[in-house]
Amino acid sequence: MMWGTAGAAGLAAWGVPGWLRPTPAAAAEQTSSGALYPKGIRPSKLYVLAEGTLTYEERVLVATLQGQLARRSSNAGEAPGIYLDIPGIGYAVWLADLADRYGVELVPSDGVWSLVDRFRQPGSYGRPINTYVLYRRGESSVNVATSLAGITGALAVEETLEPLARQHGLRRVADVRGKDDSWLKREYWPRLRHDLVVEQKPDFANQLRDYATMAGALMFFDGNTDFRRQVVHDLDPDSAVVGWGDASHGEHTFVSVSSQEGSRTIPADHARNLAPLSGITLDRISQRASARPPAVEPDVHYVAFLNTDGDNIQWLLGDFQSSTRWFANPNRGAFDLGWGISPSLVDLAPSVMRWYYDHASAGTHQERYVVGPSGGGYLYPSMYPRGELRLHARRLAGSMARADLGVAQIIDFDSFDDTALWSAYLDQEQIEGLIYLEYSRYDSHKGRIVWANDKPVISARTMLWSGLSGADETSVTAELNNAVRDPSSAAGYSVVMWHAWSKTVDNVKAVVDNLAPHVRVVTPDALVKLVARNVRR
């Protein structure tokens, strides 16, 4: 692809040298073999800053510096990076894990401008980072500056910091104050990635800006407009929209548009440090607990409990790990439990995925992970172009194999009986079965099962969800205790979805503790295997 006239003239006028203008092909080389997402360079050392000590303007600047460093390797093997720490939640755990397990040296930083000075100088790590793109806070120009940072090798500097930037030897290569996302796409779309965009509100500081800079991706936010539809329309088949859209009228508003245009959403608008976290590469990550189901028993009812929202990587990176509502709950390990997880983590943050696997319960009671909705990202399969859905399923199966996953959740609208849709997934050997959730309510199909490629698609029978009728602990317990006791029948199995935001592990335990002796609790993937082996078609 060639530069648009205005785009080429613009960079020429800025005096940006050719080595700072990566082509789309060069950007694509950052995606390692087998990976579906751009990955940073593996860091040999990380300069650590406390996020809470930085202003908005400093966090934007540092995030773009994070992204630039994650693109650079050196002949000497040194690959420094930056990590923004947030004590008390997952990010501190992932940082310690990078040091303990992967040998990354951690270096306390003296501050933003000491880092600017360090990497402005020529050094063994690669070319100096000594230019900036100027933006104004309160405008979408911060997204424009972030995107152009990925093109030019520059940093994003807010206008109030420009005097300091100049004092520290940085040179302006562009002034994008007053420019918006549509201007950026019109002028520079040929120079940005087409397999991934980042959807992020301008008032978010460092979240995702490191990754957008590293990946050379378009960062935009324009609500639910025709421009947004045009952005996702112009992406490659089965592309990724990393971030989150305008959910003021419901998340289905923007997820539907993306699905219709063949793009999956990765909920991540609060995610930090993806540039350094993605730098770890693991060919395969194995779950700790066994995937083998128990021997089937007569006259029992089997039930599996599974949380909602496992596709949300910002949650998995943040307080999911530390909160007693979820993974830090002391009752984990008291009963079999399922967790949703995004297979994108095998590329975006493989050390985090490995940590979760290694810390899952694997004794008398087990925890197992399944894929969150609706596979490789949040999408509605019935709206996805059919050819792209098959491409998506093939790619998903590859990620699931690398991440030791066999079952995926699906969210869709009135599509449960469309087995042609599920064949796109279940034709893949790696995918053993699906758990179907109707968009509203999740349990609308009351445990019915349909089959595709001789594999089950199991609908949720009931839910734990505050404020919904029949979704309280007493009602769910009664429904399970009175359910059919016949493992040869579809009615002999139940999937209970528990709402991550209104219920906790304690609420699940309250149900488990009051189940009748004939009710057996298993993990979701074990339940899928039991159904596949025992239910009469």
Side-chain angles (χ1 to χ4, degrees):
M1 296 181 182
M2 300 298 292
W3 281 94
T5 303
L11 281 184
W14 298 337
V16 180
W19 59 266
L20 284 178
R21 302 198 297 270
T23 64
E29 290 172 2
Q30 296 176 39
T31 305
S32 64
S33 176
L36 292 182
Y37 295 87
K39 293 179 65 65
I41 300 297
R42 179 170 178 144
S44 58
K45 69 169 64 174
L46 287 171
Y47 293 89
V48 182
L49 282 167
E51 181 186 279
T53 65
L54 306 180
T55 66
Y56 171 94
E57 294 81 4
E58 290 171 331
R59 287 166 61 185
V60 171
L61 188 156
V62 169
T64 54
L65 181 54
Q66 276 187 294
Q68 299 298 356
L69 290 174
R71 303 171 76 142
R72 287 162 160 76
S73 58
S74 71
N75 294 331
E78 181 182 0
I82 297 172
Y83 193 96
L84 292 181
D85 190 22
I86 310 173
I89 61 174
Y91 288 100
V93 176
W94 320 140
L95 180 62
D97 186 56
L98 288 173
D100 295 342
R101 176 169 292 195
Y102 303 95
V104 179
E105 179 186 357
L106 305 185
V107 183
S109 171
D110 293 333
V112 173
W113 295 105
S114 68
L115 291 172
V116 169
D117 290 339
R118 177 180 299 276
F119 297 112
R120 177 180 56 81
Q121 305 293 338
S124 62
Y125 66 88
R127 295 183 181 272
I129 303 168
N130 56 13
T131 57
Y132 66 92
V133 178
L134 191 67
Y135 72 92
R136 178 179 293 126
R137 184 174 181 177
E139 298 179 345
S140 58
S141 63
V142 65
N143 282 351
V144 177
T146 303
S147 302
L148 288 186
I151 292 176
T152 64
L155 306 178
V157 170
E158 207 275 333
E159 60 184 0
T160 60
L161 292 184
E162 186 173 30
L164 267 176
R166 290 186 176 277
Q167 289 176 27
H168 285 269
L170 299 183
R171 176 173 57 87
R172 185 205 291 181
V173 294
D175 181 350
V176 298
R177 291 175 295 183
K179 304 298 185 184
D180 61 13
D181 302 336
S182 60
W183 174 87
L184 173 69
K185 184 174 184 295
R186 183 173 65 251
E187 299 296 333
Y188 297 108
W189 181 240
R191 306 303 290 183
L192 295 159
R193 308 187 72 93
H194 291 179
D195 59 344
L196 178 147
V197 293
V198 177
E199 190 165 15
Q200 183 63 295
K201 293 179 179 178
D203 56 347
F204 282 46
N206 53 299
Q207 297 94 322
L208 288 181
R209 294 191 189 280
D210 63 317
Y211 191 71
T213 302
M214 181 274 294
L218 170 72
M219 177 174 272
F220 78 104
F221 192 89
D222 199 52
N224 296 301
T225 64
D226 290 341
F227 172 74
R228 184 190 183 277
R229 180 181 284 274
Q230 190 62 49
V231 169
V232 293
H233 173 79
D234 289 346
L235 291 171
D236 293 341
D238 188 42
S239 54
V241 180
V242 180
W244 197 240
D246 178 4
S248 58
H249 298 288
E251 64 191 33
H252 65 283
T253 304
F254 65 89
V255 176
S256 293
V257 170
S258 295
S259 297
Q260 292 159 11
E261 300 295 345
S263 293
R264 60 194 185 276
T265 296
I266 308 298
D269 53 322
H270 288 275
R272 282 88 157 172
N273 297 308
L274 285 181
L277 287 170
S278 67
I280 302 299
T281 295
L282 300 174
D283 293 333
R284 180 176 172 82
I285 309 173
S286 296
Q287 298 200 48
R288 182 168 171 242
S290 169
R292 293 189 301 273
V296 69
E297 301 176 72
D299 198 34
V300 301
H301 185 85
Y302 288 97
V303 58
F305 294 88
L306 177 60
N307 70 306
T308 65
D309 295 81
D311 59 323
N312 189 327
I313 72 166
Q314 63 192 14
W315 179 42
L316 294 167
L317 292 173
D319 61 347
F320 173 77
Q321 180 276 335
S322 59
S323 174
T324 56
R325 295 174 56 82
W326 306 303
F327 205 76
N329 188 285
N331 287 316
R332 277 199 320 108
F335 51 91
D336 283 4
L337 186 62
W339 295 108
I341 199 166
S342 172
S344 68
L345 286 179
V346 77
D347 294 326
L348 295 176
S351 63
V352 174
M353 177 176 266
R354 183 180 185 181
W355 187 95
Y356 277 122
Y357 282 10
D358 287 352
H359 289 80
S361 300
T364 303
H365 300 293
Q366 297 188 340
E367 291 176 296
R368 291 278 297 177
Y369 293 87
V370 305
V371 174
S374 285
Y378 186 9
L379 61 95
Y380 306 130
S382 65
M383 301 181 190
Y384 228 65
R386 292 301 170 101
E388 295 188 39
L389 184 63
R390 292 197 172 275
L391 171 62
H392 176 84
R394 290 196 299 272
R395 290 172 166 177
L396 169 63
S399 294
M400 289 174 65
R402 293 173 57 211
D404 191 19
L405 296 163
V407 174
Q409 297 178 62
I410 299 291
I411 289 181
D412 212 329
F413 296 82
D414 302 318
S415 300
F416 178 63
D417 291 300
D418 187 353
T419 54
L421 279 177
W422 317 135
S423 291
Y425 290 88
L426 298 177
D427 283 348
Q428 305 300 317
E429 182 177 358
Q430 181 66 29
I431 307 177
E432 300 171 352
L434 303 174
I435 294 172
Y436 182 88
L437 313 175
E438 192 66 42
Y439 185 85
S440 182
R441 298 178 28 155
Y442 283 0
D443 59 353
S444 296
H445 298 281
K446 302 307 297 179
R448 285 181 53 221
I449 298 174
V450 296
W451 299 82
N453 199 29
D454 207 31
K455 298 176 183 178
V457 182
I458 305 170
S459 65
R461 184 175 301 281
T462 189
M463 302 184 298
L464 277 171
W465 195 310
S466 291
L468 295 183
S469 62
D472 59 280
E473 289 85 332
T474 300
S475 298
V476 170
T477 303
E479 183 168 359
L480 296 175
N481 286 341
N482 292 320
V484 171
R485 302 191 228 175
D486 180 3
S488 68
S489 166
Y493 300 86
S494 293
V495 172
V496 179
M497 297 301 303
W498 61 279
H499 185 226
W501 314 124
S502 67
K503 296 293 183 178
T504 73
V505 174
D506 290 335
N507 299 116
V508 179
K509 186 175 185 297
V511 174
V512 172
D513 286 348
N514 288 286
L515 291 176
H518 64 268
V519 180
R520 300 285 187 271
V521 181
V522 297
T523 62
D525 56 345
L527 186 139
V528 167
K529 290 178 185 292
L530 287 168
V531 167
R533 294 177 185 179
N534 297 289
V535 171
R536 295 187 300 269
R537 309 294 193 266

